[in-house]
PDB file of all heavy atoms in Angstrom:
ATOM      1  N   ALA A 140       1.339   0.182   0.401  1.00 84.00           N
ATOM      2  CA  ALA A 140       2.020   1.275   1.093  1.00 84.00           C
ATOM      3  C   ALA A 140       1.445   1.458   2.498  1.00 84.00           C
ATOM      4  O   ALA A 140       2.184   1.654   3.475  1.00 84.00           O
ATOM      5  CB  ALA A 140       1.902   2.563   0.287  1.00 84.00           C
ATOM      6  N   ASP A 141       0.111   1.382   2.628  1.00 85.00           N
ATOM      7  CA  ASP A 141      -0.516   1.488   3.950  1.00 85.00           C
ATOM      8  C   ASP A 141      -0.061   0.349   4.859  1.00 85.00           C
ATOM      9  O   ASP A 141       0.217   0.554   6.053  1.00 85.00           O
ATOM     10  CB  ASP A 141      -2.040   1.445   3.821  1.00 85.00           C
ATOM     11  CG  ASP A 141      -2.610   2.675   3.131  1.00 85.00           C
ATOM     12  OD1 ASP A 141      -1.925   3.717   3.102  1.00 85.00           O
ATOM     13  OD2 ASP A 141      -3.749   2.586   2.609  1.00 85.00           O
ATOM     14  N   LEU A 142       0.010  -0.849   4.290  1.00 87.00           N
ATOM     15  CA  LEU A 142       0.398  -2.023   5.067  1.00 87.00           C
ATOM     16  C   LEU A 142       1.839  -1.902   5.560  1.00 87.00           C
ATOM     17  O   LEU A 142       2.142  -2.156   6.731  1.00 87.00           O
ATOM     18  CB  LEU A 142       0.221  -3.268   4.197  1.00 87.00           C
ATOM     19  CG  LEU A 142       0.263  -4.641   4.857  1.00 87.00           C
ATOM     20  CD1 LEU A 142      -0.853  -4.785   5.885  1.00 87.00           C
ATOM     21  CD2 LEU A 142       0.142  -5.730   3.786  1.00 87.00           C
ATOM     22  N   VAL A 143       2.756  -1.515   4.656  1.00 84.00           N
ATOM     23  CA  VAL A 143       4.166  -1.364   5.018  1.00 84.00           C
ATOM     24  C   VAL A 143       4.332  -0.251   6.053  1.00 84.00           C
ATOM     25  O   VAL A 143       5.078  -0.391   7.027  1.00 84.00           O
ATOM     26  CB  VAL A 143       5.007  -1.086   3.761  1.00 84.00           C
ATOM     27  CG1 VAL A 143       6.435  -0.692   4.138  1.00 84.00           C
ATOM     28  CG2 VAL A 143       5.023  -2.314   2.855  1.00 84.00           C
ATOM     29  N   GLU A 144       3.625   0.862   5.860  1.00 81.00           N
ATOM     30  CA  GLU A 144       3.743   1.963   6.826  1.00 81.00           C
ATOM     31  C   GLU A 144       3.223   1.542   8.195  1.00 81.00           C
ATOM     32  O   GLU A 144       3.818   1.887   9.227  1.00 81.00           O
ATOM     33  CB  GLU A 144       2.987   3.182   6.319  1.00 81.00           C
ATOM     34  CG  GLU A 144       3.133   4.387   7.242  1.00 81.00           C
ATOM     35  CD  GLU A 144       2.609   5.662   6.648  1.00 81.00           C
ATOM     36  OE1 GLU A 144       1.914   5.608   5.609  1.00 81.00           O
ATOM     37  OE2 GLU A 144       2.882   6.734   7.214  1.00 81.00           O
ATOM     38  N   GLY A 145       2.109   0.802   8.228  1.00 81.00           N
ATOM     39  CA  GLY A 145       1.583   0.362   9.513  1.00 81.00           C
ATOM     40  C   GLY A 145       2.522  -0.570  10.246  1.00 81.00           C
ATOM     41  O   GLY A 145       2.634  -0.530  11.475  1.00 81.00           O
ATOM     42  N   ALA A 146       3.225  -1.433   9.497  1.00 78.00           N
ATOM     43  CA  ALA A 146       4.105  -2.425  10.123  1.00 78.00           C
ATOM     44  C   ALA A 146       5.489  -1.870  10.433  1.00 78.00           C
ATOM     45  O   ALA A 146       6.080  -2.184  11.470  1.00 78.00           O
ATOM     46  CB  ALA A 146       4.226  -3.646   9.219  1.00 78.00           C
ATOM     47  N   PHE A 147       6.036  -1.044   9.522  1.00 78.00           N
ATOM     48  CA  PHE A 147       7.427  -0.612   9.648  1.00 78.00           C
ATOM     49  C   PHE A 147       7.590   0.910   9.668  1.00 78.00           C
ATOM     50  O   PHE A 147       8.711   1.404   9.578  1.00 78.00           O
ATOM     51  CB  PHE A 147       8.249  -1.161   8.467  1.00 78.00           C
ATOM     52  CG  PHE A 147       8.155  -2.640   8.279  1.00 78.00           C
ATOM     53  CD1 PHE A 147       7.682  -3.186   7.098  1.00 78.00           C
ATOM     54  CD2 PHE A 147       8.527  -3.506   9.293  1.00 78.00           C
ATOM     55  CE1 PHE A 147       7.595  -4.555   6.917  1.00 78.00           C
ATOM     56  CE2 PHE A 147       8.441  -4.881   9.128  1.00 78.00           C
ATOM     57  CZ  PHE A 147       7.972  -5.407   7.936  1.00 78.00           C
ATOM     58  N   GLY A 148       6.484   1.650   9.768  1.00 69.00           N
ATOM     59  CA  GLY A 148       6.548   3.094   9.612  1.00 69.00           C
ATOM     60  C   GLY A 148       7.509   3.778  10.561  1.00 69.00           C
ATOM     61  O   GLY A 148       8.310   4.626  10.151  1.00 69.00           O
ATOM     62  N   ALA A 149       7.463   3.420  11.853  1.00 70.00           N
ATOM     63  CA  ALA A 149       8.342   4.072  12.825  1.00 70.00           C
ATOM     64  C   ALA A 149       9.805   3.823  12.497  1.00 70.00           C
ATOM     65  O   ALA A 149      10.641   4.739  12.565  1.00 70.00           O
ATOM     66  CB  ALA A 149       8.018   3.568  14.234  1.00 70.00           C
ATOM     67  N   GLU A 150      10.128   2.594  12.107  1.00 73.00           N
ATOM     68  CA  GLU A 150      11.515   2.257  11.751  1.00 73.00           C
ATOM     69  C   GLU A 150      11.944   2.988  10.490  1.00 73.00           C
ATOM     70  O   GLU A 150      13.055   3.542  10.428  1.00 73.00           O
ATOM     71  CB  GLU A 150      11.623   0.749  11.546  1.00 73.00           C
ATOM     72  CG  GLU A 150      12.981   0.269  11.098  1.00 73.00           C
ATOM     73  CD  GLU A 150      12.997  -1.237  10.873  1.00 73.00           C
ATOM     74  OE1 GLU A 150      12.125  -1.940  11.418  1.00 73.00           O
ATOM     75  OE2 GLU A 150      13.883  -1.703  10.138  1.00 73.00           O
ATOM     76  N   LEU A 151      11.068   3.019   9.483  1.00 69.00           N
ATOM     77  CA  LEU A 151      11.427   3.675   8.231  1.00 69.00           C
ATOM     78  C   LEU A 151      11.576   5.183   8.414  1.00 69.00           C
ATOM     79  O   LEU A 151      12.440   5.802   7.793  1.00 69.00           O
ATOM     80  CB  LEU A 151      10.382   3.361   7.162  1.00 69.00           C
ATOM     81  CG  LEU A 151      10.328   1.904   6.705  1.00 69.00           C
ATOM     82  CD1 LEU A 151       9.152   1.686   5.763  1.00 69.00           C
ATOM     83  CD2 LEU A 151      11.631   1.493   6.038  1.00 69.00           C
ATOM     84  N   ARG A 152      10.747   5.785   9.255  1.00 68.00           N
ATOM     85  CA  ARG A 152      10.886   7.225   9.485  1.00 68.00           C
ATOM     86  C   ARG A 152      12.174   7.546  10.229  1.00 68.00           C
ATOM     87  O   ARG A 152      12.780   8.599  10.004  1.00 68.00           O
ATOM     88  CB  ARG A 152       9.664   7.746  10.237  1.00 68.00           C
ATOM     89  CG  ARG A 152       8.462   7.994   9.326  1.00 68.00           C
ATOM     90  CD  ARG A 152       7.327   8.651  10.070  1.00 68.00           C
ATOM     91  NE  ARG A 152       6.671   7.742  10.981  1.00 68.00           N
ATOM     92  CZ  ARG A 152       5.674   6.929  10.624  1.00 68.00           C
ATOM     93  NH1 ARG A 152       5.218   6.919   9.382  1.00 68.00           N
ATOM     94  NH2 ARG A 152       5.119   6.126  11.506  1.00 68.00           N
ATOM     95  N   LEU A 153      12.604   6.662  11.113  1.00 69.00           N
ATOM     96  CA  LEU A 153      13.881   6.858  11.794  1.00 69.00           C
ATOM     97  C   LEU A 153      15.024   6.906  10.803  1.00 69.00           C
ATOM     98  O   LEU A 153      15.996   7.640  10.977  1.00 69.00           O
ATOM     99  CB  LEU A 153      14.111   5.725  12.811  1.00 69.00           C
ATOM    100  CG  LEU A 153      15.440   5.743  13.573  1.00 69.00           C
ATOM    101  CD1 LEU A 153      15.529   6.976  14.465  1.00 69.00           C
ATOM    102  CD2 LEU A 153      15.592   4.479  14.405  1.00 69.00           C
ATOM    103  N   LEU A 154      14.894   6.125   9.723  1.00 67.00           N
ATOM    104  CA  LEU A 154      15.933   6.055   8.698  1.00 67.00           C
ATOM    105  C   LEU A 154      15.672   7.009   7.542  1.00 67.00           C
ATOM    106  O   LEU A 154      16.337   6.942   6.517  1.00 67.00           O
ATOM    107  CB  LEU A 154      16.037   4.627   8.163  1.00 67.00           C
ATOM    108  CG  LEU A 154      16.382   3.563   9.221  1.00 67.00           C
ATOM    109  CD1 LEU A 154      16.189   2.170   8.669  1.00 67.00           C
ATOM    110  CD2 LEU A 154      17.805   3.747   9.706  1.00 67.00           C
ATOM    111  N   GLY A 155      14.707   7.919   7.701  1.00 61.00           N
ATOM    112  CA  GLY A 155      14.318   8.800   6.606  1.00 61.00           C
ATOM    113  C   GLY A 155      13.113   8.213   5.901  1.00 61.00           C
ATOM    114  O   GLY A 155      12.951   6.997   5.817  1.00 61.00           O
ATOM    115  N   ASP A 156      12.241   9.051   5.400  1.00 63.00           N
ATOM    116  CA  ASP A 156      10.977   8.549   4.852  1.00 63.00           C
ATOM    117  C   ASP A 156      11.010   8.330   3.349  1.00 63.00           C
ATOM    118  O   ASP A 156       9.974   8.237   2.704  1.00 63.00           O
ATOM    119  CB  ASP A 156       9.830   9.503   5.201  1.00 63.00           C
ATOM    120  CG  ASP A 156       9.988  10.876   4.549  1.00 63.00           C
ATOM    121  OD1 ASP A 156      11.002  11.099   3.857  1.00 63.00           O
ATOM    122  OD2 ASP A 156       9.091  11.721   4.728  1.00 63.00           O
ATOM    123  N   GLU A 157      12.205   8.218   2.755  1.00 64.00           N
ATOM    124  CA  GLU A 157      12.310   8.098   1.313  1.00 64.00           C
ATOM    125  C   GLU A 157      11.540   6.903   0.765  1.00 64.00           C
ATOM    126  O   GLU A 157      10.881   6.994  -0.271  1.00 64.00           O
ATOM    127  CB  GLU A 157      13.789   7.990   0.874  1.00 64.00           C
ATOM    128  CG  GLU A 157      14.575   9.268   0.987  1.00 64.00           C
ATOM    129  CD  GLU A 157      15.254   9.419   2.340  1.00 64.00           C
ATOM    130  OE1 GLU A 157      14.797   8.754   3.295  1.00 64.00           O
ATOM    131  OE2 GLU A 157      16.201  10.197   2.450  1.00 64.00           O
ATOM    132  N   TYR A 158      11.630   5.760   1.464  1.00 64.00           N
ATOM    133  CA  TYR A 158      10.996   4.556   0.934  1.00 64.00           C
ATOM    134  C   TYR A 158       9.483   4.692   0.926  1.00 64.00           C
ATOM    135  O   TYR A 158       8.823   4.350  -0.056  1.00 64.00           O
ATOM    136  CB  TYR A 158      11.424   3.338   1.754  1.00 64.00           C
ATOM    137  CG  TYR A 158      10.977   2.030   1.158  1.00 64.00           C
ATOM    138  CD1 TYR A 158      11.540   1.567  -0.025  1.00 64.00           C
ATOM    139  CD2 TYR A 158       9.982   1.263   1.745  1.00 64.00           C
ATOM    140  CE1 TYR A 158      11.134   0.372  -0.604  1.00 64.00           C
ATOM    141  CE2 TYR A 158       9.571   0.065   1.189  1.00 64.00           C
ATOM    142  CZ  TYR A 158      10.152  -0.370   0.009  1.00 64.00           C
ATOM    143  OH  TYR A 158       9.737  -1.553  -0.558  1.00 64.00           O
ATOM    144  N   LEU A 159       8.925   5.215   2.020  1.00 65.00           N
ATOM    145  CA  LEU A 159       7.481   5.393   2.065  1.00 65.00           C
ATOM    146  C   LEU A 159       7.018   6.413   1.026  1.00 65.00           C
ATOM    147  O   LEU A 159       5.994   6.224   0.364  1.00 65.00           O
ATOM    148  CB  LEU A 159       7.048   5.837   3.457  1.00 65.00           C
ATOM    149  CG  LEU A 159       7.169   4.787   4.567  1.00 65.00           C
ATOM    150  CD1 LEU A 159       6.828   5.400   5.910  1.00 65.00           C
ATOM    151  CD2 LEU A 159       6.273   3.591   4.281  1.00 65.00           C
ATOM    152  N   VAL A 160       7.789   7.490   0.871  1.00 64.00           N
ATOM    153  CA  VAL A 160       7.452   8.486  -0.143  1.00 64.00           C
ATOM    154  C   VAL A 160       7.478   7.857  -1.532  1.00 64.00           C
ATOM    155  O   VAL A 160       6.595   8.094  -2.362  1.00 64.00           O
ATOM    156  CB  VAL A 160       8.413   9.682  -0.067  1.00 64.00           C
ATOM    157  CG1 VAL A 160       8.249  10.610  -1.269  1.00 64.00           C
ATOM    158  CG2 VAL A 160       8.179  10.467   1.224  1.00 64.00           C
ATOM    159  N   ALA A 161       8.505   7.026  -1.790  1.00 66.00           N
ATOM    160  CA  ALA A 161       8.605   6.371  -3.093  1.00 66.00           C
ATOM    161  C   ALA A 161       7.423   5.438  -3.336  1.00 66.00           C
ATOM    162  O   ALA A 161       6.878   5.392  -4.445  1.00 66.00           O
ATOM    163  CB  ALA A 161       9.923   5.598  -3.190  1.00 66.00           C
ATOM    164  N   MET A 162       7.005   4.706  -2.309  1.00 65.00           N
ATOM    165  CA  MET A 162       5.865   3.799  -2.476  1.00 65.00           C
ATOM    166  C   MET A 162       4.592   4.567  -2.800  1.00 65.00           C
ATOM    167  O   MET A 162       3.795   4.158  -3.645  1.00 65.00           O
ATOM    168  CB  MET A 162       5.667   2.963  -1.211  1.00 65.00           C
ATOM    169  CG  MET A 162       6.739   1.917  -0.980  1.00 65.00           C
ATOM    170  SD  MET A 162       6.247   0.683   0.237  1.00 65.00           S
ATOM    171  CE  MET A 162       5.037  -0.240  -0.694  1.00 65.00           C
ATOM    172  N   ARG A 163       4.390   5.696  -2.133  1.00 64.00           N
ATOM    173  CA  ARG A 163       3.217   6.521  -2.440  1.00 64.00           C
ATOM    174  C   ARG A 163       3.294   7.053  -3.871  1.00 64.00           C
ATOM    175  O   ARG A 163       2.280   7.135  -4.584  1.00 64.00           O
ATOM    176  CB  ARG A 163       3.137   7.693  -1.455  1.00 64.00           C
ATOM    177  CG  ARG A 163       2.999   7.301  -0.004  1.00 64.00           C
ATOM    178  CD  ARG A 163       1.680   6.635   0.274  1.00 64.00           C
ATOM    179  NE  ARG A 163       1.548   6.304   1.691  1.00 64.00           N
ATOM    180  CZ  ARG A 163       0.619   5.510   2.178  1.00 64.00           C
ATOM    181  NH1 ARG A 163      -0.262   4.942   1.373  1.00 64.00           N
ATOM    182  NH2 ARG A 163       0.558   5.248   3.467  1.00 64.00           N
ATOM    183  N   ARG A 164       4.506   7.403  -4.290  1.00 66.00           N
ATOM    184  CA  ARG A 164       4.681   7.895  -5.659  1.00 66.00           C
ATOM    185  C   ARG A 164       4.392   6.783  -6.659  1.00 66.00           C
ATOM    186  O   ARG A 164       3.748   7.009  -7.683  1.00 66.00           O
ATOM    187  CB  ARG A 164       6.104   8.422  -5.835  1.00 66.00           C
ATOM    188  CG  ARG A 164       6.359   9.130  -7.165  1.00 66.00           C
ATOM    189  CD  ARG A 164       7.807   9.536  -7.318  1.00 66.00           C
ATOM    190  NE  ARG A 164       8.204  10.409  -6.230  1.00 66.00           N
ATOM    191  CZ  ARG A 164       9.317  10.254  -5.526  1.00 66.00           C
ATOM    192  NH1 ARG A 164      10.119   9.238  -5.774  1.00 66.00           N
ATOM    193  NH2 ARG A 164       9.627  11.097  -4.574  1.00 66.00           N
ATOM    194  N   TRP A 165       4.855   5.567  -6.377  1.00 60.00           N
ATOM    195  CA  TRP A 165       4.577   4.438  -7.263  1.00 60.00           C
ATOM    196  C   TRP A 165       3.074   4.198  -7.363  1.00 60.00           C
ATOM    197  O   TRP A 165       2.552   3.936  -8.455  1.00 60.00           O
ATOM    198  CB  TRP A 165       5.246   3.173  -6.741  1.00 60.00           C
ATOM    199  CG  TRP A 165       6.734   3.232  -6.696  1.00 60.00           C
ATOM    200  CD1 TRP A 165       7.553   4.058  -7.427  1.00 60.00           C
ATOM    201  CD2 TRP A 165       7.595   2.447  -5.881  1.00 60.00           C
ATOM    202  NE1 TRP A 165       8.865   3.838  -7.100  1.00 60.00           N
ATOM    203  CE2 TRP A 165       8.927   2.857  -6.153  1.00 60.00           C
ATOM    204  CE3 TRP A 165       7.384   1.454  -4.932  1.00 60.00           C
ATOM    205  CZ2 TRP A 165      10.025   2.294  -5.517  1.00 60.00           C
ATOM    206  CZ3 TRP A 165       8.480   0.890  -4.297  1.00 60.00           C
ATOM    207  CH2 TRP A 165       9.777   1.307  -4.593  1.00 60.00           C
ATOM    208  N   ALA A 166       2.390   4.276  -6.210  1.00 61.00           N
ATOM    209  CA  ALA A 166       0.943   4.036  -6.222  1.00 61.00           C
ATOM    210  C   ALA A 166       0.225   5.065  -7.088  1.00 61.00           C
ATOM    211  O   ALA A 166      -0.694   4.728  -7.843  1.00 61.00           O
ATOM    212  CB  ALA A 166       0.405   4.079  -4.785  1.00 61.00           C
ATOM    213  N   ALA A 167       0.654   6.326  -6.991  1.00 59.00           N
ATOM    214  CA  ALA A 167      -0.006   7.387  -7.755  1.00 59.00           C
ATOM    215  C   ALA A 167       0.293   7.289  -9.246  1.00 59.00           C
ATOM    216  O   ALA A 167      -0.515   7.711 -10.073  1.00 59.00           O
ATOM    217  CB  ALA A 167       0.417   8.751  -7.221  1.00 59.00           C
ATOM    218  N   ARG A 168       1.454   6.728  -9.581  1.00 62.00           N
ATOM    219  CA  ARG A 168       1.891   6.716 -10.981  1.00 62.00           C
ATOM    220  C   ARG A 168       1.895   5.315 -11.578  1.00 62.00           C
ATOM    221  O   ARG A 168       2.533   5.084 -12.605  1.00 62.00           O
ATOM    222  CB  ARG A 168       3.296   7.319 -11.088  1.00 62.00           C
ATOM    223  CG  ARG A 168       3.378   8.755 -10.563  1.00 62.00           C
ATOM    224  CD  ARG A 168       4.806   9.264 -10.592  1.00 62.00           C
ATOM    225  NE  ARG A 168       4.918  10.607 -10.030  1.00 62.00           N
ATOM    226  CZ  ARG A 168       6.072  11.240  -9.840  1.00 62.00           C
ATOM    227  NH1 ARG A 168       7.215  10.644 -10.161  1.00 62.00           N
ATOM    228  NH2 ARG A 168       6.096  12.457  -9.326  1.00 62.00           N
ATOM    229  N   ALA A 169       1.221   4.376 -10.956  1.00 55.00           N
ATOM    230  CA  ALA A 169       1.270   2.981 -11.409  1.00 55.00           C
ATOM    231  C   ALA A 169       0.936   2.817 -12.889  1.00 55.00           C
ATOM    232  O   ALA A 169       1.643   2.090 -13.605  1.00 55.00           O
ATOM    233  CB  ALA A 169       0.357   2.113 -10.552  1.00 55.00           C
TER     234      ALA A 169
END
């Protein structure tokens, strides 16, 4: 999640942060 946010964070936030939020949720609930 850190890696994806660092590489694509600005683009993903422009499109809404759902994907990053989901990745953080997956990490917490793995």
Side-chain angles (χ1 to χ4, degrees):
D141 292 339
L142 193 61
V143 170
E144 183 170 12
F147 306 121
E150 177 182 339
L151 293 174
R152 279 186 288 273
L153 177 65
L154 300 168
D156 65 358
E157 288 90 339
Y158 188 69
L159 290 175
V160 169
M162 289 196 72
R163 299 293 182 193
R164 188 184 302 132
W165 297 338
R168 301 176 183 174

